[in-house]
């Protein structure tokens, strides 16, 4: 289903094209702004659109849009890193504050995977570095090369 | 924002109408099939649509659609039960198996709330009782009457 | 490590004895009050002890004790149901209200597992049916027979 | 219950002393190795002890010990930052790999809080930077000064 690249991963643009076969994903008009398949990281940008809000003229994002954006970003970095489909086992979103009338950026990374599960983290922020939501999920990587990924020092890998 | 009713709750249809002011919610064409504002429960039905799939002709639901359906059902029972807006604090979805070409039902209930937080559970199943996903979330009910809700016996309230 | 029984499961008492090789588990003096290996359910009882509290004379349970009790109950039903070790992938605890000076009961059940993951739910309640906390976790069952477990009707299996 | 300091926080050692009134917390012999009340961060060190293992001579940590260590570290940074008790609303632990015969370090941080909820992240690692588990929780800070905390740039605050 997903073409493997020699370097063991797949480009964010290739994954984006794959994901966009879904009408649901097409509802979210996001772009890839940074990626590192070897590190298992990707950053996506979602320009503000009133279609994403709860009540249009107030401009507050619907929580479901943020949940979907987290799911897409987390899944994308796992597929990039493993070069295979990575079904979601579970997904969690923490809403820190409500974004309003602002473009959102999703910084996603995959933690080093075990034999069968990869954990991915997503930070939803704006260009000024205000954090609006945190995402975390477990993804099935049973058929992946994820166990080949290096472990990074906690300073880089950690939550600060 | 939401009119309080004398019986201390609000109907699922009224909440549905409120939610449908969002273009994102409109993407999901769900109906209310059962509700109990006093108990804080609601059941929603999402008829299958290829717009909800990952790859249209395979018919597997996109995980983000299930996450959004969980968020809507969980939020709805909290708003019904409290008669106030209930911002999502955090949301979690566990994917047990992938639904395919099938209508989905979301059975949502709100657990008795504390002073500031209500926890809501959602089971995503089909009409045959096959369970596809589980949802759970914490919602802010600081301004609500949620603390007036009764506690049900664990037999009824529990996870079995 | 765990002996398989012909009926494809293992008794709660056998799992309890296995778990009690851990000094940490020994800290929690729980008993098995009900079990159904075929259904993948177990109920444990933790008699109140001041060693479980935050501040001894106030009698409120420490959240970490409840987290550990949830982990033990959820793991036990998965080991019972699969007859194999089931490493925890992730664990979540929702605290609805603080139990004080009361014996706690953990009702745990395993949902039908996929090929590699089982999801287990736990309700922490007292004998009067007051619910204090909810637990949910994903467990690795790669080597198990879990896929042989039946799916129950949502009425029995659901969150109400 | 907790004395407020003029600088708006409370020291990790003071919180540790408060927590150690619990026999359950005493089971975990941890030290404070770094703290920053203004930033809402703390690092705890748990020297390896066979009392923390599943099967003593194998040396693998019990998942419940890691869950309790996450709860203590996350709660500590929230109490430090707010100068008030911060009851746990919900707690989640992701187990990346099983630590064995090694001292554990918990790096905890509190994200900027809303009016009523603070979210805290914990990374469980060893001195070499190998990450074993991730923790995240929501804590009630209704009575706290948490809303006075600054927002850090995503580069520092994010998950990488």
């Amino acid at each position: 289903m997903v073409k493997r690249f020699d370097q063991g991963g797949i480009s964010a643009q290739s994954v984006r094209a794959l994901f966009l076969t879904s009408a649901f994903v097409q509802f979210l008009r996001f772009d890839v702004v940074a990626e590192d398949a070897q590190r298992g990281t990707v950053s996506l940008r979602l320009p503000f659109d009133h279609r994403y809000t709860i009540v249009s003229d107030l401009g507050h994002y619907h929580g479901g849009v943020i949940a979907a954006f987290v799911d897409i970003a987390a899944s994308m970095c796992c597929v990039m890193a493993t070069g295979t489909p990575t079904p979601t086992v579970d997904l969690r979103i923490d809403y820190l504050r409500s974004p309003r009338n602002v473009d959102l950026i999703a910084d996603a990374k995959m933690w080093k995977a075990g034999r069968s599960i990869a954990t991915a983290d997503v930070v939803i922020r704006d260009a000024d570095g205000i954090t609006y939501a945190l995402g975390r999920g477990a993804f099935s990587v049973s058929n992946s090369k994820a166990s080949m990924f290096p472990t990074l020092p906690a300073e880089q890998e950690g939550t600060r």
Side-chain angles (χ1 to χ4, degrees), chain A residues 108-157:
Chain A
K109 70 156 300 182
M110 189 186 88
W111 294 77
K112 182 180 184 300
R115 287 185 304 279
S116 58
I117 297 292
T119 302
D121 270 348
V122 180
V123 175
I124 301 294
R125 61 177 177 90
D126 63 19
D128 297 330
I130 304 292
T131 305
Y132 297 100
L134 305 173
R136 178 166 287 165
F139 297 83
S140 178
V141 293
S142 306
N143 307 320
S144 80
K145 306 177 189 175
S147 58
M148 289 161 39
F149 273 73
T151 301
L152 309 176
E155 292 65 37
Q156 297 160 252
E157 203 177 34

Side-chain angles (χ1 to χ4, degrees), chain A residues 12-131:
Chain A
Q13 289 297 352
S14 299
V15 180
R16 179 175 179 275
L18 178 75
F19 283 6
L20 284 173
T21 57
S22 164
F24 177 72
V25 175
Q26 290 169 26
F27 185 91
L28 299 178
R29 299 176 181 152
F30 64 92
D31 298 311
V32 176
V33 291
E35 66 177 293
D36 184 338
Q38 296 308 311
R39 289 282 298 273
T41 63
V42 67
S43 291
L44 306 178
R45 180 171 170 279
L46 182 68
F48 176 76
D49 188 318
H50 284 288
R51 295 159 57 251
Y52 306 148
T53 63
I54 302 172
V55 181
S56 183
D57 51 354
L58 294 182
H60 292 284
Y61 276 80
H62 191 288
V65 170
I66 293 172
F69 195 34
V70 163
D71 180 49
I72 289 166
S75 299
M76 182 175 286
C77 70
C78 290
V79 173
M80 285 169 56
T82 64
T84 67
T86 58
T88 308
V89 171
D90 57 55
L91 187 70
R92 291 145 272 161
I93 304 98
D94 287 65
Y95 299 88
L96 303 187
R97 61 183 65 81
S98 176
R100 182 180 184 184
N101 294 320
V102 63
D103 300 350
L104 294 182
I105 296 169
D107 295 318
K109 70 156 300 182
M110 189 186 88
W111 294 77
K112 182 180 184 300
R115 287 185 304 279
S116 58
I117 297 292
T119 302
D121 270 348
V122 180
V123 175
I124 301 294
R125 61 177 177 90
D126 63 19
D128 297 330
I130 304 292
T131 305

